[in-house]
Amino acid sequence: MSLKADLILAKTEEDVKDAYIKAIGLKAYNKTLVDIRTKEIWFEAKGSPAAPVLMFAQLLFYVRAARKLGEQLPPFLCVIDTEKAAIMETSLALPILEDKSIKWPKSGSKVDKSLAIRIAPFIEAHFVVYQLDTFEQDFVKAVRSAISAGKIIRTSITPDNLRQVFDKWVEMVGNELTGAAPPDYALLFFADIMHDGKKAAVKDLPAKLLHDDHKPVFLLNGVLYELNSIHGYRNFWAIYHRPPQEEYRRYLLERRDTLLPLDEREFKGAYYTPLDVVDKAYDELTSVLGKNWQQRYLVWDMCCGVGNLETKHSNPRNVFMSTIDQADIDVMLASRTCVGASIFQYDYLNDDVNEFGLLDYTMTGKLPSALQTAIAEANSKMRGAKKILVLINPPYAEATSSDNAASKGIDRSKTGVARSKFAASAMDDYGKASNELFTQFLARIHKEIPNATVAIFSKLKYVNSQAFEEFRTIWKAKYLGGFVVHSKAFDDLKGNFPIGFLIWDTSRPEPIDEIVTDVLDRNANLIGDKIFANVENDLLLSTWPTRPKANKTPALPLKGAVEPATTTADLRGTRWSDGAIGWFNCAGNDLQQASRLTMILSSGFASGRGFFINKENLWQVGVMFAARRLIKPTWLNDRDQFLQPNQELPNNFKLDCLIWTLFNGANYTAAVEKLRWNNQNWSLVNHFLPFTETQVGAKTAFKSNFMTTYLAKTKLSAEAKDVMEEGRKLFHHYHQQKFGRTIIDEFKLGRPDVGWWQVRRALKANQINIMTYFDPWEKAYANLTEKLSPQLIQFGFLRG
């Protein structure tokens, strides 16, 4: 247990002392008037939060008394309470003991705020405060070093703690800089840490640390930033050592991307490519392009960030590097990254693009003439022209994503992404790919350097996503080779999915049908290979079922099982369908979306992307639902597409899938009265109840017997029967209970024909009153799951 956790449980001052003794590992100590006393350090403890200067005043009273008696004084003093601790060197406090103007009380218990105020100006600059929420380990390390080494050893800044140190710097220093904006914090932070307090350890950084009358001030882009308060700054640098060791400095500067605000990183592509992954990329380039490719190709990285993709290049004079952010260039120049390369600021998706989507380098004059000449010679296939390799790790931001669906009335889509000049003027025929930054890069490259070799880090959706079919009709290239690597190899990328490093020859336009890649784990170790296939639309599972049309009958749009829609933007699900019994939501056709967006509801879904269920397509819904929910996504199959069955499906398989669906947690069908939406009361009818009133002991009639009629003449497998029987017992158990008002209101339990979602949730919520044993049902459901899983591969719903 941590010190902070022990302090939360502390009830007395003695508990506080014992918690600190345990955390520090004190051996030889005693408890006297000085709360904890060792030869090296004395502690003053409080059982509740107190001002450090007040606690030091009380401790100094005992130091003064001991000094008069000629006792040996410790080198260090420490004050502790339940939230924080502070430490200082005893020698720095001794001068105030000689000050005759300070009147000390006759006992330690008489020390008060007036004395603390008198001594504060003399000691506040000398003690270091550690808030235990964030600095517990630093405090323990400092005290232990004070005891063992006779001095306080500050914590070094290393690649391992960079993000942690930066977050603490923002809290203690950055937030105190008047007028400084969060996107500038990273540059100001580096100016601070790459300084020893007297001079800069790394020259020519974009931001500078200066001193005005011994107070630190920061200079960035001609603007001076002063600290509102010096206390946090002084305390921060009492804890950490600066500058970082020389061996770490360049690497730390290269990691500026990890310190940018998340939204800025997504739009600028500031995701640091790990050097071990860069090594693998260069190995792949050598394998595909030949040993001397660095001599034969000019390289242009038009989203280079701080240049770590090019640090492995041995011929920088063949390298052009551009980035949207001038600060990146300043960092590269200061850290002497890729000396000899042509490095320049360039907004690739906006610069030199006219209103007709044509490229005109005279518009900005930014593109180096040598690069313009190389592009012109390559495009004209001039004899002796250098080949051009585009080597990029572009940004992954997209204008819309599945996360934005049914966004509770707020349009959370990143519409700015689609509005780059190039996307707006030159990508009308690219479909949804115009929403994505990385495909905007590919589209401009295709227009600008149509014979280039492209080596790109990116998601795989442009290879096999159904939504990118229009993109693939235009962007065609011969696949030369590549690998995929776990997204967790890249710092701070959300989710688990493959990042591909794929090499393409765009001078040979071939359709993208199927590619084979090596597979690297998060540590860049080879673990196998993987096929990514572009499947024709008429083979996809999403095009398999019958999709009934909506009629003009109004319907209640839902955002959850019993929650009416709250969104007003692009609202769907407001019209019913002939003979419909519910709605099947099945957005997308890949595993990533299926795991979150496959569900059945008793009315339309607010964001659409599914179809109505009726008697004719119910069996298809059951099969699709089982396939999409049973096959679990992994980081590697994240973008694999569901396929239509490769043979006629047997009836027992169809029924197993339907029973599995009826008792799945994403079956949100429900029975509800008086759901309020659009100033009206609406009802939900549950057509998915597979039992009669008698079978479950219901006291009143159900409004629908659709499912019991549908199943009446079917023959279920033994596994499906077990699920049904154990499920029936839970429904029966539900109908014998009386629920409290809170549970009734939360799950809308006013009707007898409640759905599986309502039954399961209500029983679990009422466990505190009446125990429900789910184990028998869970075992039966697991058996059915185990039976179905291999059959889904057998019948071709996903490539094995």
Side-chain angles (χ1 to χ4, degrees), residues 312-350:
K312 300 292 183 177
H313 203 290
S314 61
N315 187 21
R317 295 190 182 281
N318 272 1
V319 176
F320 295 88
M321 301 162 63
S322 58
T323 175
I324 192 174
D325 196 341
Q326 179 63 41
D328 285 337
I329 295 172
D330 296 337
V331 169
M332 284 189 282
L333 294 175
S335 60
R336 300 184 61 78
T337 299
C338 297
V339 176
S342 178
I343 303 175
F344 57 103
Q345 188 278 328
Y346 197 70
D347 183 350
Y348 190 69
L349 298 181
N350 291 290

Side-chain angles (χ1 to χ4, degrees), residues 103-123:
K103 303 300 181 184
W104 293 86
K106 293 183 179 180
S107 69
S109 62
K110 299 293 185 181
V111 171
D112 57 15
K113 289 182 180 180
S114 61
L115 177 62
I117 291 170
R118 290 281 289 128
I119 69 172
F122 299 96
I123 67 170

